[in-house]
Protein backbone atom coordinates (compact mmCIF):
# COMPACT_ATOMS: atom_id res chain seq x y z
CA UNK A 1 0.00 0.00 0.00
CA UNK A 2 1.43 3.39 -0.97
CA UNK A 3 2.38 5.82 1.77
CA UNK A 4 -0.33 8.44 1.91
CA UNK A 5 -0.27 11.35 4.29
CA UNK A 6 -3.08 11.60 6.75
CA UNK A 7 -4.01 15.13 5.79
CA UNK A 8 -4.63 14.21 2.16
CA UNK A 9 -8.34 14.76 1.62
CA UNK A 10 -10.35 11.95 0.06
CA UNK A 11 -13.98 11.14 0.03
CA UNK A 12 -14.35 8.19 2.37
CA UNK A 13 -15.21 4.92 0.66
CA UNK A 14 -15.96 3.60 4.08
CA UNK A 15 -19.32 5.23 4.47
CA UNK A 16 -20.46 5.40 8.04
CA UNK A 17 -18.60 5.50 11.33
CA UNK A 18 -19.90 1.97 11.83
CA UNK A 19 -18.23 0.85 8.61
CA UNK A 20 -15.00 2.39 9.83
CA UNK A 21 -15.15 0.18 12.88
CA UNK A 22 -16.08 2.84 15.41
CA UNK A 23 -18.97 2.62 17.80
CA UNK A 24 -21.85 4.63 16.39
CA UNK A 25 -22.21 7.90 18.25
CA UNK A 26 -18.57 8.27 19.25
CA UNK A 27 -16.40 10.73 17.41
CA UNK A 28 -13.46 9.12 15.64
CA UNK A 29 -10.20 10.23 17.18
CA UNK A 30 -7.60 11.93 15.04
CA UNK A 31 -5.51 8.77 14.66
CA UNK A 32 -8.52 6.80 13.37
CA UNK A 33 -9.40 9.54 10.91
CA UNK A 34 -5.82 9.63 9.65
CA UNK A 35 -5.70 5.85 9.21
CA UNK A 36 -9.03 5.86 7.42
CA UNK A 37 -7.82 8.59 5.08
CA UNK A 38 -4.73 6.51 4.21
CA UNK A 39 -6.90 3.47 3.60
CA UNK A 40 -9.40 5.38 1.44
CA UNK A 41 -6.63 6.95 -0.60
CA UNK A 42 -5.04 3.55 -1.24
CA UNK A 43 -8.36 2.15 -2.45
CA UNK A 44 -8.95 5.23 -4.62
CA UNK A 45 -5.46 4.86 -6.16
CA UNK A 46 -6.07 1.16 -6.91
CA UNK A 47 -3.28 0.18 -4.52
CA UNK A 48 -3.51 -3.16 -2.79
CA UNK A 49 -4.42 -3.40 0.88
CA UNK A 50 -2.07 -5.89 2.55
CA UNK A 51 -2.54 -7.89 5.77
CA UNK A 52 -0.45 -5.59 7.96
CA UNK A 53 -2.14 -2.42 6.70
CA UNK A 54 -4.78 -0.80 8.83
CA UNK A 55 -8.29 -1.43 7.50
CA UNK A 56 -11.80 -0.63 8.71
CA UNK A 57 -13.27 -3.50 10.71
CA UNK A 58 -16.26 -3.70 8.35
CA UNK A 59 -13.90 -4.10 5.36
CA UNK A 60 -12.17 -6.96 7.17
CA UNK A 61 -15.52 -8.56 8.08
CA UNK A 62 -16.83 -8.25 4.51
CA UNK A 63 -13.70 -9.92 3.15
CA UNK A 64 -13.86 -12.73 5.68
CA UNK A 65 -17.55 -13.28 4.83
CA UNK A 66 -16.98 -13.38 1.07
CA UNK A 67 -13.68 -15.30 1.13
CA UNK A 68 -15.04 -17.87 3.58
CA UNK A 69 -18.15 -18.35 1.44
CA UNK A 70 -15.92 -18.71 -1.59
CA UNK A 71 -13.59 -21.23 0.10
CA UNK A 72 -16.53 -23.26 1.40
CA UNK A 73 -18.01 -23.31 -2.13
CA UNK A 74 -14.80 -24.77 -3.50
CA UNK A 75 -14.71 -27.68 -1.07
CA UNK A 76 -18.46 -28.37 -1.04
CA UNK A 77 -18.31 -28.10 -4.85
CA UNK A 78 -16.12 -31.21 -4.87
CA UNK A 79 -19.07 -33.37 -3.86
CA UNK A 80 -21.42 -33.28 -6.88
CA UNK A 81 -18.59 -34.00 -9.30
CA UNK A 82 -16.78 -36.54 -7.12
CA UNK A 83 -20.06 -38.44 -7.28
CA UNK A 84 -19.12 -39.40 -10.85
CA UNK A 85 -15.43 -40.34 -10.46
CA UNK A 86 -16.15 -44.06 -10.08
CA UNK A 87 -18.58 -44.00 -13.00
CA UNK A 88 -16.61 -41.94 -15.52
CA UNK A 89 -16.99 -43.63 -18.93
CA UNK A 90 -13.26 -43.96 -19.70
CA UNK A 91 -9.86 -43.83 -18.02
CA UNK A 92 -9.15 -40.50 -19.72
CA UNK A 93 -12.38 -38.94 -18.40
CA UNK A 94 -11.75 -40.38 -14.94
CA UNK A 95 -8.21 -38.94 -14.78
CA UNK A 96 -9.44 -35.52 -15.89
CA UNK A 97 -12.29 -35.50 -13.39
CA UNK A 98 -10.04 -36.57 -10.52
CA UNK A 99 -7.61 -33.77 -11.36
CA UNK A 100 -10.45 -31.25 -11.47
CA UNK A 101 -11.90 -32.28 -8.12
CA UNK A 102 -8.41 -32.15 -6.62
CA UNK A 103 -7.96 -28.64 -8.05
CA UNK A 104 -11.12 -27.53 -6.23
CA UNK A 105 -9.63 -28.74 -2.93
CA UNK A 106 -6.53 -26.68 -3.76
CA UNK A 107 -8.69 -23.60 -4.43
CA UNK A 108 -10.26 -24.05 -1.02
CA UNK A 109 -6.79 -24.15 0.53
CA UNK A 110 -5.59 -20.98 -1.22
CA UNK A 111 -8.72 -19.17 -0.08
CA UNK A 112 -8.66 -20.38 3.54
CA UNK A 113 -4.99 -19.35 3.66
CA UNK A 114 -5.83 -15.94 2.22
CA UNK A 115 -8.61 -15.57 4.82
CA UNK A 116 -6.15 -16.47 7.59
CA UNK A 117 -4.19 -13.31 6.77
CA UNK A 118 -7.22 -11.42 8.12
CA UNK A 119 -6.89 -13.09 11.52
CA UNK A 120 -9.39 -15.94 11.21
CA UNK A 121 -8.19 -19.53 11.31
CA UNK A 122 -9.31 -22.19 8.88
CA UNK A 123 -10.61 -24.20 11.82
CA UNK A 124 -12.85 -21.34 12.90
CA UNK A 125 -14.26 -20.90 9.38
CA UNK A 126 -14.91 -24.61 8.98
CA UNK A 127 -16.68 -24.70 12.36
CA UNK A 128 -18.95 -21.89 11.13
CA UNK A 129 -19.68 -23.74 7.89
CA UNK A 130 -20.52 -26.93 9.77
CA UNK A 131 -22.74 -25.02 12.19
CA UNK A 132 -24.63 -23.42 9.28
CA UNK A 133 -23.37 -19.93 10.21
CA UNK A 134 -21.61 -19.29 6.90
CA UNK A 135 -22.84 -19.90 3.38
CA UNK A 136 -21.54 -21.70 0.33
CA UNK A 137 -22.71 -21.20 -3.24
CA UNK A 138 -26.34 -22.07 -3.95
CA UNK A 139 -25.29 -24.00 -7.07
CA UNK A 140 -23.91 -26.94 -5.13
CA UNK A 141 -27.29 -27.81 -3.67
CA UNK A 142 -28.40 -29.38 -6.95
CA UNK A 143 -27.85 -33.06 -7.78
CA UNK A 144 -25.67 -34.53 -10.53
CA UNK A 145 -28.08 -37.04 -12.05
CA UNK A 146 -26.19 -38.15 -15.17
CA UNK A 147 -22.67 -38.13 -16.59
CA UNK A 148 -23.62 -35.13 -18.74
CA UNK A 149 -23.98 -33.09 -15.53
CA UNK A 150 -20.18 -33.20 -15.20
CA UNK A 151 -20.00 -31.46 -18.60
CA UNK A 152 -22.72 -28.96 -17.73
CA UNK A 153 -20.98 -28.08 -14.45
CA UNK A 154 -17.69 -27.51 -16.26
CA UNK A 155 -19.22 -25.43 -19.03
CA UNK A 156 -21.83 -23.45 -17.09
CA UNK A 157 -20.81 -23.50 -13.41
CA UNK A 158 -17.09 -23.02 -14.01
CA UNK A 159 -17.96 -20.59 -16.82
CA UNK A 160 -20.08 -18.51 -14.43
CA UNK A 161 -17.37 -18.79 -11.78
CA UNK A 162 -14.71 -17.45 -14.18
CA UNK A 163 -16.93 -14.53 -15.21
CA UNK A 164 -17.39 -13.66 -11.55
CA UNK A 165 -13.80 -14.34 -10.51
CA UNK A 166 -11.65 -12.71 -13.20
CA UNK A 167 -12.54 -9.24 -11.83
CA UNK A 168 -11.65 -10.51 -8.33
CA UNK A 169 -8.03 -10.73 -9.55
CA UNK A 170 -8.19 -6.92 -9.21
CA UNK A 171 -9.76 -7.01 -5.75
CA UNK A 172 -8.35 -4.36 -3.41
CA UNK A 173 -7.21 -6.97 -0.87
CA UNK A 174 -3.83 -8.33 -2.02
CA UNK A 175 -3.94 -11.95 -0.76
CA UNK A 176 -7.44 -12.53 -2.20
CA UNK A 177 -6.52 -10.98 -5.55
CA UNK A 178 -3.34 -13.07 -5.82
CA UNK A 179 -5.15 -16.31 -4.93
CA UNK A 180 -7.68 -15.55 -7.66
CA UNK A 181 -5.02 -15.30 -10.39
CA UNK A 182 -4.06 -18.95 -10.02
CA UNK A 183 -7.63 -20.09 -9.41
CA UNK A 184 -8.84 -18.43 -12.62
CA UNK A 185 -6.14 -20.13 -14.68
CA UNK A 186 -7.23 -23.51 -13.37
CA UNK A 187 -10.94 -22.70 -13.73
CA UNK A 188 -10.47 -21.97 -17.39
CA UNK A 189 -9.18 -25.53 -17.93
CA UNK A 190 -12.20 -26.80 -16.00
CA UNK A 191 -14.54 -24.82 -18.23
CA UNK A 192 -12.90 -26.22 -21.38
CA UNK A 193 -13.09 -29.82 -20.18
CA UNK A 194 -16.83 -29.37 -19.53
CA UNK A 195 -17.36 -27.80 -22.94
CA UNK A 196 -15.41 -30.56 -24.68
CA UNK A 197 -17.29 -33.27 -22.77
CA UNK A 198 -20.66 -31.77 -23.70
CA UNK A 199 -19.58 -31.36 -27.32
CA UNK A 200 -18.71 -35.08 -27.49
CA UNK A 201 -22.12 -36.00 -26.06
CA UNK A 202 -23.98 -33.51 -28.22
CA UNK A 203 -22.37 -34.97 -31.37
CA UNK A 204 -22.81 -38.55 -30.13
CA UNK A 205 -25.84 -40.79 -30.32
CA UNK A 206 -29.36 -39.46 -30.01
CA UNK A 207 -29.49 -40.65 -26.40
CA UNK A 208 -26.19 -38.91 -25.59
CA UNK A 209 -27.40 -35.68 -27.20
CA UNK A 210 -30.62 -35.87 -25.16
CA UNK A 211 -28.61 -36.44 -21.99
CA UNK A 212 -26.49 -33.34 -22.70
CA UNK A 213 -29.60 -31.25 -23.40
CA UNK A 214 -31.29 -32.44 -20.21
CA UNK A 215 -28.23 -31.49 -18.14
CA UNK A 216 -28.13 -28.01 -19.68
CA UNK A 217 -31.87 -27.62 -19.03
CA UNK A 218 -31.33 -28.33 -15.34
CA UNK A 219 -28.10 -26.34 -14.76
CA UNK A 220 -28.84 -23.16 -16.75
CA UNK A 221 -31.07 -21.30 -14.31
CA UNK A 222 -29.16 -22.26 -11.13
CA UNK A 223 -25.97 -21.06 -12.90
CA UNK A 224 -27.54 -17.63 -13.43
CA UNK A 225 -28.40 -17.55 -9.71
CA UNK A 226 -24.73 -18.04 -8.79
CA UNK A 227 -24.15 -14.33 -9.45
CA UNK A 228 -26.32 -13.47 -6.45
CA UNK A 229 -29.59 -11.55 -6.10
CA UNK A 230 -30.51 -8.76 -8.54
CA UNK A 231 -28.71 -5.49 -7.87
CA UNK A 232 -31.69 -3.85 -6.18
CA UNK A 233 -31.81 -6.74 -3.67
CA UNK A 234 -28.04 -7.10 -3.17
CA UNK A 235 -27.33 -5.87 0.34
CA UNK A 236 -23.53 -5.84 0.09
CA UNK A 237 -22.77 -4.81 -3.50
CA UNK A 238 -22.69 -1.04 -3.11
CA UNK A 239 -20.23 -1.04 -0.21
CA UNK A 240 -18.14 -3.89 -1.67
CA UNK A 241 -17.83 -2.00 -4.95
CA UNK A 242 -16.89 1.23 -3.15
CA UNK A 243 -14.11 -0.74 -1.45
CA UNK A 244 -13.17 -2.35 -4.79
CA UNK A 245 -13.63 -5.84 -3.40
CA UNK A 246 -16.25 -6.35 -6.12
CA UNK A 247 -15.57 -4.55 -9.40
CA UNK A 248 -18.94 -5.17 -11.05
CA UNK A 249 -22.48 -5.64 -9.84
CA UNK A 250 -24.23 -9.03 -9.77
CA UNK A 251 -26.47 -8.11 -12.72
CA UNK A 252 -23.56 -6.81 -14.83
CA UNK A 253 -21.68 -10.09 -14.45
CA UNK A 254 -24.81 -12.18 -15.03
CA UNK A 255 -25.42 -10.30 -18.29
CA UNK A 256 -21.79 -10.81 -19.34
CA UNK A 257 -22.16 -14.55 -18.73
CA UNK A 258 -25.37 -14.81 -20.79
CA UNK A 259 -23.72 -12.98 -23.68
CA UNK A 260 -20.79 -15.43 -23.62
CA UNK A 261 -22.96 -18.56 -23.18
CA UNK A 262 -25.45 -17.94 -26.01
CA UNK A 263 -23.02 -18.38 -28.94
CA UNK A 264 -21.29 -21.25 -27.11
CA UNK A 265 -24.63 -23.09 -26.80
CA UNK A 266 -25.16 -22.62 -30.53
CA UNK A 267 -21.71 -24.06 -31.27
CA UNK A 268 -22.50 -27.00 -28.98
CA UNK A 269 -25.76 -27.65 -30.82
CA UNK A 270 -27.69 -27.33 -27.55
CA UNK A 271 -30.60 -25.07 -26.64
CA UNK A 272 -30.66 -22.85 -23.58
CA UNK A 273 -33.96 -23.43 -21.73
CA UNK A 274 -35.16 -19.85 -22.02
CA UNK A 275 -37.52 -18.88 -24.87
CA UNK A 276 -36.98 -15.19 -24.06
CA UNK A 277 -33.29 -15.14 -24.99
CA UNK A 278 -32.79 -12.84 -27.95
CA UNK A 279 -30.24 -10.33 -29.14
CA UNK A 280 -31.18 -6.76 -28.28
CA UNK A 281 -29.67 -4.54 -30.96
CA UNK A 282 -30.24 -1.38 -28.98
CA UNK A 283 -28.50 -2.61 -25.82
CA UNK A 284 -25.91 -4.63 -27.68
CA UNK A 285 -26.65 -7.48 -25.25
CA UNK A 286 -28.99 -10.45 -24.99
CA UNK A 287 -32.36 -10.12 -23.30
CA UNK A 288 -33.25 -13.11 -21.19
CA UNK A 289 -36.20 -14.37 -19.15
CA UNK A 290 -37.07 -13.80 -15.50
CA UNK A 291 -35.12 -15.76 -12.89
CA UNK A 292 -37.12 -17.60 -10.21
CA UNK A 293 -35.78 -15.76 -7.17
CA UNK A 294 -38.11 -17.69 -4.87
CA UNK A 295 -36.21 -20.85 -5.74
CA UNK A 296 -32.91 -19.05 -4.99
CA UNK A 297 -34.18 -17.87 -1.59
CA UNK A 298 -35.42 -21.36 -0.75
CA UNK A 299 -32.01 -22.85 -1.57
CA UNK A 300 -30.34 -20.19 0.63
CA UNK A 301 -32.71 -21.09 3.47
CA UNK A 302 -31.53 -24.71 3.25
CA UNK A 303 -34.45 -26.08 1.26
CA UNK A 304 -32.64 -26.96 -1.98
CA UNK A 305 -32.65 -30.53 -3.24
CA UNK A 306 -29.24 -31.39 -1.71
CA UNK A 307 -28.56 -28.91 1.13
CA UNK A 308 -28.95 -31.55 3.83
CA UNK A 309 -26.87 -34.14 1.97
CA UNK A 310 -24.01 -31.71 1.23
CA UNK A 311 -23.58 -30.44 4.78
CA UNK A 312 -23.96 -33.90 6.34
CA UNK A 313 -21.29 -35.27 4.01
CA UNK A 314 -19.00 -32.31 4.76
CA UNK A 315 -19.32 -32.77 8.52
CA UNK A 316 -18.66 -36.50 8.17
CA UNK A 317 -15.56 -35.90 6.01
CA UNK A 318 -14.28 -33.43 8.62
CA UNK A 319 -14.80 -35.86 11.50
CA UNK A 320 -13.24 -38.74 9.59
CA UNK A 321 -10.25 -36.55 8.73
CA UNK A 322 -9.51 -35.66 12.37
CA UNK A 323 -6.73 -38.26 12.61
CA UNK A 324 -5.00 -36.76 9.56
CA UNK A 325 -5.02 -33.29 11.12
CA UNK A 326 -3.73 -34.72 14.42
CA UNK A 327 -0.97 -36.63 12.64
CA UNK A 328 0.05 -33.56 10.63
CA UNK A 329 0.18 -31.43 13.80
CA UNK A 330 2.22 -34.10 15.64
CA UNK A 331 4.60 -34.37 12.68
CA UNK A 332 5.02 -30.59 12.52
CA UNK A 333 5.73 -30.43 16.27
CA UNK A 334 8.28 -33.25 16.04
CA UNK A 335 10.07 -31.61 13.16
CA UNK A 336 10.30 -28.14 14.63
CA UNK A 337 13.95 -27.36 14.07
CA UNK A 338 16.21 -26.91 17.11
CA UNK A 339 17.06 -23.40 15.87
CA UNK A 340 13.35 -22.44 15.97
CA UNK A 341 13.07 -23.88 19.48
CA UNK A 342 16.03 -21.93 20.86
CA UNK A 343 15.59 -18.71 18.88
CA UNK A 344 12.62 -17.47 20.88
CA UNK A 345 14.06 -17.64 24.41
CA UNK A 346 17.26 -16.00 23.17
CA UNK A 347 15.29 -13.13 21.69
CA UNK A 348 13.33 -12.84 24.92
CA UNK A 349 16.53 -12.50 26.96
CA UNK A 350 17.79 -9.82 24.64
CA UNK A 351 14.55 -7.85 24.80
CA UNK A 352 14.32 -7.94 28.59
CA UNK A 353 18.00 -7.27 29.17
N1 LIG B 1 -25.15 -18.63 -3.10
O1 LIG B 1 -25.39 -8.73 -1.26
P1 LIG B 1 -25.13 -9.93 -2.09
C1 LIG B 1 -16.67 -22.56 -7.94
C2 LIG B 1 -25.89 -14.33 -0.43
S1 LIG B 1 -17.15 -21.96 -6.44
C3 LIG B 1 -25.29 -18.48 -1.78
O2 LIG B 1 -25.21 -9.76 -3.56
P2 LIG B 1 -22.28 -10.35 -2.19
C4 LIG B 1 -16.58 -23.98 -8.16
C5 LIG B 1 -24.81 -13.41 0.08
O3 LIG B 1 -23.78 -14.14 0.74
C6 LIG B 1 -17.74 -20.35 -6.84
N2 LIG B 1 -25.46 -17.27 -1.20
O4 LIG B 1 -23.74 -10.60 -1.63
C7 LIG B 1 -16.23 -24.84 -7.15
C8 LIG B 1 -25.59 -12.52 1.01
O5 LIG B 1 -25.91 -13.23 2.20
P3 LIG B 1 -25.29 -12.82 3.64
C9 LIG B 1 -18.08 -19.55 -5.67
C10 LIG B 1 -25.44 -16.19 -2.00
O6 LIG B 1 -21.35 -11.11 -1.32
C11 LIG B 1 -16.22 -26.21 -7.34
C12 LIG B 1 -26.91 -12.36 0.29
O7 LIG B 1 -27.03 -13.48 -0.56
N3 LIG B 1 -17.76 -18.18 -6.02
O8 LIG B 1 -16.42 -21.79 -8.78
O9 LIG B 1 -22.00 -8.90 -2.40
C13 LIG B 1 -16.56 -26.72 -8.58
C14 LIG B 1 -26.99 -11.07 -0.51
O10 LIG B 1 -26.12 -11.11 -1.66
C15 LIG B 1 -25.27 -16.29 -3.39
C16 LIG B 1 -17.68 -17.19 -5.13
O11 LIG B 1 -17.94 -17.38 -3.96
C17 LIG B 1 -25.13 -17.57 -3.94
N4 LIG B 1 -24.98 -17.77 -5.26
O12 LIG B 1 -22.29 -11.01 -3.66
C18 LIG B 1 -16.88 -25.86 -9.62
C19 LIG B 1 -17.23 -15.88 -5.69
N5 LIG B 1 -25.30 -15.05 -3.92
O13 LIG B 1 -23.83 -13.18 3.57
C20 LIG B 1 -16.87 -24.50 -9.43
C21 LIG B 1 -16.95 -14.83 -4.64
C22 LIG B 1 -25.50 -14.20 -2.89
O14 LIG B 1 -25.51 -11.36 3.82
N6 LIG B 1 -18.18 -14.24 -4.13
N7 LIG B 1 -25.60 -14.88 -1.73
O15 LIG B 1 -26.05 -13.68 4.61
C23 LIG B 1 -18.81 -13.22 -4.72
O16 LIG B 1 -18.42 -12.73 -5.78
C24 LIG B 1 -20.01 -12.63 -4.01
O17 LIG B 1 -19.98 -13.05 -2.67
C25 LIG B 1 -21.37 -13.02 -4.68
C26 LIG B 1 -22.50 -12.40 -3.81
C27 LIG B 1 -21.46 -12.42 -6.06
C28 LIG B 1 -21.55 -14.52 -4.72
Amino acid sequence: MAAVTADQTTQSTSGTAEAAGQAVGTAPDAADAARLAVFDAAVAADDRIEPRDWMPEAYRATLVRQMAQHAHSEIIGMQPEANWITRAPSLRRKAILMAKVQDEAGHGLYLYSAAETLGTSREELLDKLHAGRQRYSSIFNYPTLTWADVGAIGWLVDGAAITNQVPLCRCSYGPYARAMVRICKEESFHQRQGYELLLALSRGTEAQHAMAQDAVDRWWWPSLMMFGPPDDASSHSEQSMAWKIKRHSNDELRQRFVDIAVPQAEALGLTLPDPDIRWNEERGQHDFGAIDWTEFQEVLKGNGPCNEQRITQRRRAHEEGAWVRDAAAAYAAKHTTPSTRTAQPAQHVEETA
Side-chain angles (χ1 to χ4, degrees):
M1 176 164 146
V4 182
T5 55
D7 61 355
Q8 205 167 345
T9 51
T10 58
Q11 188 184 357
S12 175
T13 54
S14 305
T16 61
E18 198 177 16
Q22 294 127 10
V24 179
T26 58
D29 64 26
D32 277 345
R35 284 194 291 254
L36 183 58
V38 172
F39 170 86
D40 282 344
V43 171
D46 269 338
D47 281 349
R48 289 271 158 80
I49 308 297
E50 297 297 340
R52 286 168 195 268
D53 293 334
W54 181 90
M55 61 188 82
E57 275 315 304
Y59 175 82
R60 185 187 299 275
T62 295
L63 280 168
V64 170
R65 179 187 63 79
Q66 178 168 327
M67 290 161 73
Q69 179 170 325
H70 196 161
H72 300 331
S73 305
E74 299 285 356
I75 61 165
I76 296 257
M78 295 165 72
Q79 292 184 35
E81 291 185 281
N83 185 32
W84 280 91
I85 290 176
T86 54
R87 290 172 289 167
S90 69
L91 181 60
R92 174 174 171 265
R93 292 289 180 199
K94 192 192 287 266
I96 293 172
L97 185 55
M98 283 174 68
K100 179 184 193 287
V101 171
Q102 199 171 322
D103 280 355
E104 308 301 355
H107 297 175
L109 287 184
Y110 311 153
L111 290 164
Y112 286 121
S113 300
E116 281 187 333
T117 66
L118 291 161
T120 48
S121 69
R122 191 186 331 167
E123 200 176 19
E124 187 184 335
L125 297 181
L126 284 171
D127 284 347
K128 286 185 176 159
L129 169 67
H130 299 151
R133 287 165 54 212
Q134 281 179 342
R135 300 186 187 284
Y136 58 89
S137 181
S138 51
I139 192 75
F140 300 117
N141 293 306
Y142 291 85
T144 41
L145 302 180
T146 71
W147 169 249
D149 288 26
V150 172
I153 290 182
W155 175 42
L156 295 173
V157 176
D158 286 281
I162 295 167
T163 310
N164 167 278
Q165 289 170 190
V166 165
L168 289 174
C169 299
R170 293 189 295 119
C171 164
S172 56
Y173 187 58
Y176 192 24
R178 289 189 286 274
M180 291 317 305
V181 173
R182 182 156 170 190
I183 290 176
C184 284
K185 284 184 182 160
E186 293 174 357
E187 296 287 23
S188 86
F189 273 110
H190 297 174
Q191 196 267 355
R192 280 161 194 228
Q193 71 80 34
Y195 186 88
E196 194 259 343
L197 194 166
L198 274 187
L199 189 64
L201 289 177
S202 180
R203 292 180 177 171
T205 64
E206 212 173 295
Q208 286 172 326
H209 182 90
M211 194 200 280
Q213 183 60 59
D214 171 65
V216 169
D217 289 348
R218 285 181 289 105
W219 288 93
W220 173 249
W221 291 107
S223 299
L224 293 190
M225 294 174 197
M226 281 177 75
F227 294 91
D231 291 352
D232 55 11
S234 166
S235 43
H236 303 293
S237 279
E238 192 181 342
Q239 181 62 79
S240 289
M241 286 170 70
W243 277 328
K244 297 185 183 171
I245 294 173
K246 284 168 81 162
R247 294 285 180 158
H248 305 280
S249 77
N250 299 354
D251 286 333
E252 279 167 10
L253 293 174
R254 192 170 5 252
Q255 178 70 55
R256 193 177 287 183
F257 173 67
V258 171
D259 291 332
I260 293 168
V262 170
Q264 290 181 344
E266 275 166 26
L268 281 169
L270 297 170
T271 310
L272 295 174
D274 178 357
D276 294 328
I277 289 185
R278 63 182 58 86
W279 179 250
N280 183 323
E281 197 63 58
E282 220 169 282
R283 293 199 302 122
Q285 291 170 325
H286 291 87
D287 291 336
F288 56 97
I291 294 170
D292 181 355
W293 291 113
T294 312
E295 177 181 320
F296 175 73
Q297 290 304 337
E298 282 303 309
V299 173
L300 259 57
K301 277 189 223 153
N303 302 328
C306 297
N307 293 62
E308 189 58 42
Q309 182 186 331
R310 299 289 183 241
I311 203 70
T312 303
Q313 168 62 17
R314 171 94 276 288
R315 288 192 196 115
R316 187 166 65 229
H318 191 70
E319 280 159 22
E320 288 174 359
W323 71 271
V324 180
R325 292 190 297 279
D326 290 347
Y331 182 86
K334 194 170 157 188
H335 288 268
T336 307
T337 58
S339 59
T340 323
R341 271 193 231 122
T342 51
Q344 283 158 357
Q347 195 183 2
H348 178 72
V349 170
E350 220 174 78
E351 276 170 9
T352 51

